Amino acid sequence: MAVSTLITTGVFTAAFSIPGGINDSSGNPNYLQKPSFLTFAIADATAMISSSTSILIFLSILISRYAEDDFHKSIPLKLISVLVALFISIISIMVGFSSAFFIMYYHGSKWVPNFIFALAFIPIPLIAFLLFPLWSDIVYSTYFCRNFFRPSKHMLF
């Protein structure tokens, strides 16, 4: 939940501090016509929406009833959706950072923004590698081992 909150804060700030600044006469962003600015805007909005969704789902987990049936289906499903939303927001924030860096520093040497663009995608497979075991354990225990711990109406003896 803390990571989602930090992402939301950073993305909200990035939405209002537009890379390249604003034209004083028209009030429009200076690089509005560049495709990298459109990429920045879409990635920023996607990161904001997915991290806000992640926060709201985390809050719904915290205020749930904690009944026995919730632990079988509701809470694991919410946890799966939180992990997916968090992964989407991390991907989106990396794309937004790369496009903002590309907008600001593409005027000088061309290899520096391309190098930073490539380096910005290193955390994506890393977070996928770190979150996949948790995600797969939750999916396996929720959907494939669902009946192991459910109380049965039939007695064995």
Side-chain angles (χ1 to χ4, degrees), residues 125-142:
L126 181 67
I127 197 75
F129 177 73
L130 293 173
L131 285 181
F132 184 73
L134 175 64
W135 184 81
S136 65
D137 284 345
I138 295 170
V139 168
Y140 181 74
S141 66
T142 302

Side-chain angles (χ1 to χ4, degrees), residues 82-156:
V82 159
L83 290 175
V84 169
L86 190 61
F87 186 68
I88 290 170
S89 67
I90 289 173
I91 290 173
S92 300
I93 203 165
M94 286 296 134
V95 170
F97 166 76
S98 299
S99 60
F101 195 86
F102 202 77
I103 290 169
M104 296 301 296
Y105 298 106
Y106 194 66
H107 306 294
S109 62
K110 306 289 188 214
W111 71 272
V112 174
N114 292 331
F115 182 67
I116 298 298
F117 188 77
L119 281 180
F121 288 97
I122 290 175
I124 294 172
L126 181 67
I127 197 75
F129 177 73
L130 293 173
L131 285 181
F132 184 73
L134 175 64
W135 184 81
S136 65
D137 284 345
I138 295 170
V139 168
Y140 181 74
S141 66
T142 302
Y143 295 110
F144 298 114
C145 300
R146 173 183 302 198
N147 296 323
F148 283 158
F149 300 109
R150 258 193 207 279
S152 176
K153 293 180 183 176
H154 305 289
M155 300 269 309
L156 293 176

Side-chain angles (χ1 to χ4, degrees), residues 1-11 51-52 54-55 58 86:
M1 189 166 174
V3 172
S4 297
T5 306
L6 286 172
I7 289 174
T8 304
T9 305
V11 169
S51 62
S52 298
S54 178
I55 290 171
F58 265 127
L86 190 61

Side-chain angles (χ1 to χ4, degrees), residues 9-19 21-22 40 44 48:
T9 305
V11 169
F12 187 78
T13 305
F16 292 107
S17 59
I18 297 172
I22 296 175
F40 168 76
D44 196 53
M48 180 70 179

